[in-house]
Amino acid sequence: MLHNELNAWRESIDLVKKVYSMTESFPISEQFGLTSQIRRAAVSIPSNIAEGCGRNSDKELMRFCWIAMGSLSEVETQAIIARELGYVEDIEEVETDIRKVRKILSGFINYLQNKQTC
């Protein structure tokens, strides 16, 4: 299975682009703080999906998908923090993408779990 064929990977790439766009307006004082943190967390989502696909087993792929899910929760939390700190007013676009990626990734993880039990 190639990572770039997965909806979860493609949608998470879109999320990365939105996170980068959102963080462009963050204060320069956050360049090595929240800006860097949320960008790294966002990039790790498709990266972990890709790494899992490069492994030899569905079990490993599932493990890396769970790691991607953790990074997705990080991005969600950091976007909320950015809004609460007043760095950005509206995070609805990012939140919508987070929900979309979470739904797709959850479905994919369930598929992999069911595949193992058969």
Side-chain angles (χ1 to χ4, degrees), residues 7 36 38 41 44 47 49 83 89 93 104 113 115 118:
N7 285 337
S36 175
I38 194 171
S44 74
S47 298
I49 294 168
R83 184 189 61 212
E89 286 184 29
E93 253 188 84
I104 294 168
Q113 286 174 332
K115 192 174 165 188
C118 292

Side-chain angles (χ1 to χ4, degrees), residues 48-59:
N48 276 296
I49 294 168
E51 185 171 354
C53 285
R55 300 293 174 134
N56 269 345
S57 70
D58 286 346
K59 185 176 179 181

Side-chain angles (χ1 to χ4, degrees), residues 63-95:
R63 185 171 77 84
F64 279 93
C65 285
W66 277 116
I67 294 168
M69 190 73 84
S71 296
L72 188 62
S73 293
E74 278 186 74
V75 170
E76 180 179 39
T77 298
Q78 292 157 0
I80 292 167
I81 290 168
R83 184 189 61 212
E84 294 295 315
L85 291 173
Y87 296 160
V88 65
E89 286 184 29
D90 184 20
I91 60 170
E92 185 57 38
E93 253 188 84
V94 169
E95 286 179 319

Side-chain angles (χ1 to χ4, degrees), residues 6-86:
L6 295 174
N7 285 337
W9 182 85
R10 286 194 299 269
E11 292 295 335
S12 62
I13 291 290
D14 289 343
L15 175 60
V16 169
K17 291 188 269 188
K18 286 193 177 116
V19 165
Y20 267 73
S21 178
M22 177 185 76
T23 57
E24 285 176 3
S25 65
F26 284 15
I28 195 73
S29 61
E30 285 295 340
Q31 181 178 1
F32 300 108
L34 189 57
T35 303
S36 175
Q37 187 75 15
I38 194 171
R39 285 179 173 185
R40 278 185 283 133
V43 167
S44 74
I45 300 164
S47 298
N48 276 296
I49 294 168
E51 185 171 354
C53 285
R55 300 293 174 134
N56 269 345
S57 70
D58 286 346
K59 185 176 179 181
E60 281 291 293
L61 174 54
M62 189 168 42
R63 185 171 77 84
F64 279 93
C65 285
W66 277 116
I67 294 168
M69 190 73 84
S71 296
L72 188 62
S73 293
E74 278 186 74
V75 170
E76 180 179 39
T77 298
Q78 292 157 0
I80 292 167
I81 290 168
R83 184 189 61 212
E84 294 295 315
L85 291 173

